């Protein structure tokens, strides 16, 4: 892999300012309307009314800005209340994630971020430490609660389970082009149910 020196860390020292928030919100709006390549620093500067030099003061590259804006957006959209049933919470989380990926330019954004992370070692570190870590943490919290309640088998390697679940989503997003929709989420949740849950949890879900 090679590095294009896109910058590995957004400059976030100190509290979030109104200027930063304006830039993030403008970037989120552009992500919702445009494809990933079209969300440029020039476009964000025009949409936010913030100069390019000020934007670069906070973010070293367009990739870093888009990554933070998309993480900011999806963190709020994928919040799942704890119902006491880990499998149902997993289903709800995956439905919320599917909605994010099917909304406007989101699929293009995630695909673009992943491709940039593959081609740029520095940016890959930032991608893994932010969006990827946040998504994995959301699933891990659900599965850990399920283990504590006796709904997920204790011997299950949760890291591998998370890889398998996200792997199926990203395969459709990047490779097969198949829909990430409700039937897919239902089938993926059923697969997880059969693979990681206890017999007691399976009987309660039927």
């Amino acid at each position: 892999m090679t590095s294009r020196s896109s910058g590995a860390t957004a400059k976030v020292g100190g509290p979030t300012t109104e200027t930063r928030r304006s830039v993030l919100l403008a970037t989120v709006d552009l992500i919702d309307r445009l494809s990933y390549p079209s969300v440029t620093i020039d476009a964000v500067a025009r949409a936010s009314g913030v100069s390019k030099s000020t934007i670069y003061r906070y973010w070293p590259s367009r990739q870093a800005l888009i990554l933070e804006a998309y993480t900011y957006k999806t963190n709020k959209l994928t919040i799942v209340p704890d119902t006491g049933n880990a499998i149902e919470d997993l289903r709800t989380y995956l439905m919320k994630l599917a909605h994010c990926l099917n909304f406007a330019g989101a699929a293009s954004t995630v695909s673009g971020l992943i491709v940039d992370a593959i081609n740029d070692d520095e940016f890959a570190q930032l991608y893994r430490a932010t969006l990827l870590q946040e998504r994995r943490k959301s699933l891990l919290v659900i599965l850990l609660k399920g283990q504590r309640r006796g709904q997920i088998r204790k011997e299950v390697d949760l890291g591998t389970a998370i890889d398998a679940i996200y792997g199926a989503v990203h395969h459709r997003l990047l490779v097969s082009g198949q829909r990430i929709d409700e039937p897919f989420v239902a089938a993926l949740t059923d697969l997880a149910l059969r693979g990681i849950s206890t017999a007691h949890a399976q009987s309660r879900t039927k």
Side-chain angles (χ1 to χ4, degrees):
M1 295 183 185
T2 59
S3 173
R4 298 194 307 273
S5 298
S6 62
T9 306
K11 302 170 185 176
V12 296
T16 299
T17 64
E18 188 59 35
T19 298
R20 288 189 79 252
R21 185 172 183 275
S22 296
V23 172
L24 284 174
L25 291 177
T27 306
V28 166
D29 180 65
L30 291 173
I31 288 170
D32 288 345
R33 296 189 291 107
L34 304 176
S35 65
Y36 179 69
S38 299
V39 183
T40 62
I41 296 296
D42 282 332
V44 173
R46 289 193 298 270
S48 65
V50 177
S51 70
K52 290 171 60 176
S53 62
T54 299
I55 293 173
Y56 278 119
R57 190 179 307 154
Y58 292 106
W59 295 276
S61 68
R62 66 175 288 273
Q63 292 99 326
L65 170 56
I66 294 172
L67 178 62
E68 183 174 341
Y70 187 73
T71 303
Y72 167 82
K73 172 189 175 181
T74 54
N75 277 352
K76 296 198 295 185
L77 292 178
T78 54
I79 294 173
V80 176
D82 183 359
T83 66
N85 185 323
I87 300 300
E88 288 307 312
D89 291 348
L90 171 63
R91 189 191 312 275
T92 300
Y93 174 77
L94 290 175
M95 281 302 303
K96 287 176 175 285
L97 184 64
H99 172 75
C100 288
L101 292 174
N102 287 317
F103 185 80
S108 171
T109 298
V110 176
S111 299
L113 290 171
I114 291 173
V115 169
D116 280 346
I118 290 171
N119 292 317
D120 185 331
D121 289 338
E122 278 190 290
F123 181 67
Q125 294 176 30
L126 180 60
Y127 175 82
R128 292 170 186 144
T130 52
L131 182 60
L132 184 60
Q133 180 173 288
E134 291 291 332
R135 297 288 75 80
R136 291 181 66 85
K137 179 182 177 182
S138 297
L139 264 186
L140 182 61
V141 167
I142 293 171
L143 297 180
L144 282 172
K145 288 180 179 178
Q147 278 192 329
R148 288 196 291 269
R149 297 185 188 114
Q151 298 163 345
I152 304 295
R153 299 198 315 274
K154 293 291 185 182
E155 74 274 15
V156 169
D157 183 330
L158 296 185
T160 300
I162 290 169
D163 286 340
I165 292 168
Y166 275 125
V169 173
H170 287 155
H171 179 79
R172 289 205 168 202
L173 182 68
L174 296 172
V175 182
S176 72
Q178 293 171 276
R179 291 180 60 82
I180 302 172
D181 53 14
E182 188 170 352
F184 167 69
V185 167
L188 185 58
T189 306
D190 183 63
L191 187 65
L193 170 67
R194 296 174 186 277
I196 67 176
S197 62
T198 59
H200 176 65
Q202 290 186 34
S203 66
R204 289 186 60 190
T205 306
K206 290 179 181 179

